[in-house]
């Protein structure tokens, strides 16, 4: 049986390049003096400043509702418009963008789909009393070409950029096999001055 030699201690004094030779320097790190570039302020004033910033939504003049008419449900519907569903009603700029940024644009919708944005409590149907005597302005685009115009139409409409904005009921984009149509629906087709001013 061989005798094992006892392990030698390796705690010899060798200089460590990472250690600071100034013992006071280590204490300086914990001082309350600010370092260069450090922002100094008491916690109480910082809390007051952060609580002073509050969320301020940007309200629209009218509330608006997005509606979707599903093309797969249209073939099964008993009466016209029974497959149309309201999606969301919004009243602020922030709500509009939160919805718009999370829905399909016309170029991504299925053929046969109709996507509407109408003033709150106005259904996108000619049978609605507000729309019953109305008319519409329609612009036709090639398939997949209406996304930007649809956005600009929505922004002008909800931002009250039309001269006779009170005459507007809403807008719809119709997606078909060879084309997409954007239509602006108005309340009173017999009011020619308002119709041509929209």
């Amino acid at each position: 049986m061989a005798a094992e030699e006892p392990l030698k201690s390796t705690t010899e004094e060798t200089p460590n390049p990472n250690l600071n030779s100034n013992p006071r320097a280590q204490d300086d790190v914990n001082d309350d003096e600010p370092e260069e570039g450090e922002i100094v302020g008491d916690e109480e004033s910082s809390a007051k400043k952060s609580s002073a910033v509050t969320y301020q939504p940007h309200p629209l003049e009218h509330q608006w509702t997005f509606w979707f008419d599903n093309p797969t449900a249209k073939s099964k519907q008993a009466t016209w418009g029974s497959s149309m569903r309201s999606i969301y009603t919004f009243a602020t700029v922030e709500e509009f963008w939160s919805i718009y940024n999370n829905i399909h644009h016309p170029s991504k919708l299925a053929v046969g789909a109709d996507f509407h944005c109408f003033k709150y409590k106005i259904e996108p149907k000619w049978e609605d009393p507000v729309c019953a005597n109305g008319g519409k302005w329609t612009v036709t685009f090639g398939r997949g070409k209406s996304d930007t115009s649809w956005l600009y139409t929505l922004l002008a409409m909800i931002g009250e950029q039309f001269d006779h904005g009170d005459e507007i009921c809403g807008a719809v984009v119709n997606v078909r096999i060879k084309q997409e149509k954007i239509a602006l629906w108005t309340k009173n087709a017999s009011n020619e001055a308002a119709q041509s001013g929209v």
Side-chain angles (χ1 to χ4, degrees), residues 54-95:
T54 57
Y55 170 71
Q56 293 292 327
H58 297 83
L60 299 169
E61 189 171 326
H62 296 97
Q63 291 184 30
W64 299 86
T65 302
F66 277 118
W67 297 76
F68 183 66
D69 198 356
N70 188 345
T72 58
K74 285 182 184 179
S75 60
K76 302 172 189 172
Q77 67 185 356
T79 58
W80 184 91
S82 62
S83 62
M84 194 178 311
R85 300 284 179 257
S86 65
I87 304 298
Y88 191 86
T89 298
F90 59 94
T92 67
V93 173
E94 292 79 5
E95 288 176 324

Side-chain angles (χ1 to χ4, degrees), residues 2-95:
E4 295 182 11
E5 291 184 30
L7 295 174
K8 293 184 180 179
S9 173
T10 57
T11 58
E12 296 176 20
E13 293 294 319
T14 57
N16 186 342
N18 294 327
L19 292 179
N20 193 336
S21 60
N22 182 355
R24 176 76 180 125
Q26 199 68 5
D27 293 337
D28 288 344
V29 173
N30 297 329
D31 280 352
D32 291 333
E33 293 181 26
E35 292 183 22
E36 186 178 339
E38 182 178 357
I39 297 174
V40 181
D42 61 346
E43 292 177 14
E44 191 173 310
S45 67
S46 297
K48 286 179 185 175
K49 287 179 187 175
S50 65
S51 66
V53 178
T54 57
Y55 170 71
Q56 293 292 327
H58 297 83
L60 299 169
E61 189 171 326
H62 296 97
Q63 291 184 30
W64 299 86
T65 302
F66 277 118
W67 297 76
F68 183 66
D69 198 356
N70 188 345
T72 58
K74 285 182 184 179
S75 60
K76 302 172 189 172
Q77 67 185 356
T79 58
W80 184 91
S82 62
S83 62
M84 194 178 311
R85 300 284 179 257
S86 65
I87 304 298
Y88 191 86
T89 298
F90 59 94
T92 67
V93 173
E94 292 79 5
E95 288 176 324

